[in-house]
Amino acid sequence: MIPPTSNPTSRRRYHASDQMKTSEIEPGVLKGGGYLAMPDTPGRHPGVVVIHEAYGLNKNIKDITGRFADQGYAALAVDLFSGRNRAVCMARYMAGMLGGSVNRYGITDLKAALTHLAGMPEVDPERVGAIGFCMGGSFAIAWACTDRRLKAIAPFYGANPRPLDVVARACPVVGSYPEKDFTASAGRALDEALDRTGIAHDIKVYPEAGHSFFNDSSRAHHHAAAADSWTRVLAFFGEHLTPKP
């Protein structure tokens, strides 16, 4: 159950702290470029690739990237549109999502982003994961079926690859889905498939939430669902992106 709140759709914006360093990554360094947020502390940190929804690499996605840095993660938000024809890209991304292929257009770019992040001296390449929203959530699930470097993923309201049994090759999954959205059934199906495969997972469907509930710049933002899902993601990543003994 979602915890009660006096105003479940109220927006609470994230404010960056002074405990992190941020920088823009130029397209010449990484295809499409990106946005990097790093903890302002010494040592090698776990890494997270942040995959945007159809709105692109906007302020909301940068804020989410910063939130991970505040929690001790090296976070890289990819830009899947920069320097490319956005309409053509969207058509290809949607075709891949509807077709369910795990080797869809865009996966190569995500793998390159992870290579860039994992190669940084501040990052532990054995402790890397990904989070994605809508289109990005669909990417995260498909990508996890083709890249063993990922140790945990957090899809939000994403579609599943097909055939669904391919998730037997995925890493641990913490997924968040809104009941008032077509992706609720995808979340339940993913939960059942991961049960069958024995892969560690935490899938939750929020009964009062709609699509894009995690986006605090959207009218669809649902504070209670967003807060609970964020807590679950941090707990799950904390478990699966920990140093090996």
Side-chain angles (χ1 to χ4, degrees):
M1 294 292 291
I2 296 176
T5 177
S6 58
N7 184 5
T9 58
S10 63
R11 301 178 193 175
R12 299 189 182 183
R13 298 295 180 85
Y14 165 77
H15 296 285
S17 76
D18 57 0
Q19 301 301 311
M20 65 177 181
K21 301 174 289 186
T22 64
S23 60
E24 300 284 345
I25 298 179
E26 298 299 322
V29 177
L30 177 67
K31 184 177 180 179
Y35 177 79
L36 179 69
M38 300 283 290
D40 194 15
T41 53
R44 302 184 86 191
H45 307 286
V48 177
V49 175
V50 183
I51 315 169
H52 62 71
E53 52 197 330
Y55 300 118
L57 179 50
N58 57 15
K59 184 179 184 303
N60 172 63
I61 296 299
K62 290 182 178 180
D63 286 349
I64 293 169
T65 307
R67 289 172 69 175
F68 273 108
D70 275 343
Q71 296 295 323
Y73 293 85
L76 171 61
V78 297
D79 190 335
L80 296 173
F81 292 142
S82 179
R84 290 169 263 197
N85 184 302
R86 185 179 181 121
V88 171
C89 282
M90 276 302 302
R92 289 176 173 173
Y93 296 152
M94 291 301 105
M97 186 171 70
L98 293 173
S101 170
V102 295
N103 295 307
R104 67 192 63 174
Y105 181 77
I107 294 291
T108 299
D109 293 339
L110 297 177
K111 290 181 176 180
L114 181 55
T115 298
H116 180 85
L117 179 66
M120 300 181 70
E122 303 92 340
V123 178
D124 182 349
E126 298 301 318
R127 296 189 289 150
V128 292
I131 186 171
F133 303 89
C134 188
M135 178 187 81
S138 303
F139 266 126
I141 304 169
W143 179 20
C145 298
T146 67
D147 196 335
R148 293 191 177 277
R149 294 176 299 171
L150 290 169
K151 306 305 182 198
I153 59 166
F156 277 71
Y157 27 91
N160 293 326
R162 290 199 295 271
L164 187 52
D165 287 346
V166 74
V167 298
R169 290 154 40 190
C171 58
V173 181
V174 51
S176 302
Y177 298 80
E179 183 65 63
K180 299 178 179 181
D181 184 57
F182 71 96
T183 61
S185 59
R188 293 190 178 96
L190 179 61
D191 193 27
E192 294 175 0
L194 294 173
D195 278 341
R196 292 194 298 270
T197 62
I199 292 174
H201 60 285
D202 171 11
I203 307 295
K204 186 169 181 177
V205 178
Y206 291 93
E208 299 301 322
H211 198 77
S212 293
F213 71 79
F214 198 79
N215 185 340
D216 66 7
S217 65
S218 166
R219 291 181 179 179
H221 178 64
H222 191 287
H223 173 69
D228 183 75
S229 59
W230 178 244
T231 298
R232 289 173 44 246
V233 168
L234 291 180
F236 197 87
F237 278 15
E239 177 182 357
H240 293 281
L241 300 184
T242 55
K244 296 291 188 296

